[in-house]
Amino acid sequence: MKEIEIKSILQVYDSFDELPADVQKLMEQSMMVRDRAYAPYSEFLVGAALLLENGEVVLGNNQENACYPSGLCAERTAIYYAGANFPDISITTMALTAKSLKHKLITPTPPCGACRQAIAEYEVKQNLPITIYFMGETGKVVRSSSLSNILPLVFDNSYL
């Protein structure tokens, strides 16, 4: 038997104000759309703003359903919109923010497993990494230069 070590490299900004100006603008858009999420069951609001290589910004938020869990997360809402409307345009950057209506969320909140898999699919499809910034309502912001940092050993089409 042999052990292997898998490392993830993430950058952590102490606050929103430390982000580059263009990322602040993208994160502000994710905050705006987050606050319009439809989450009456979980009371957990998530917003996603995707910057495409052509400069277009695509927004998405979580949409819940009484037939839980048939709703959709913010990340996949935005990614699938981008895929449907801009199929040949790469996603360069994602800004994600989460907010709980039950308590103040200051912990950077990464995408769930299903969303990580969807992001991985688009990184493989476009053959380019997607830079991901994620945060809670306030506080620190985490930057990952690729989905592979938060989902090592990704399952992709090479296994099929």
Side-chain angles (χ1 to χ4, degrees), residues 1 27 36 52 54 98 102 112 120-121 158:
M1 180 182 79
M27 189 63 79
R36 297 191 311 222
L52 308 184
N54 66 355
K102 298 174 185 174
C112 73
E121 185 71 22
S158 68

Side-chain angles (χ1 to χ4, degrees), residues 131-149:
T131 301
I132 305 166
Y133 292 85
F134 56 91
M135 65 181 289
E137 184 178 354
T138 62
K140 296 180 188 291
V141 181
V142 174
R143 177 188 181 273
S144 175
S145 61
S146 171
L147 189 280
S148 63
N149 288 317

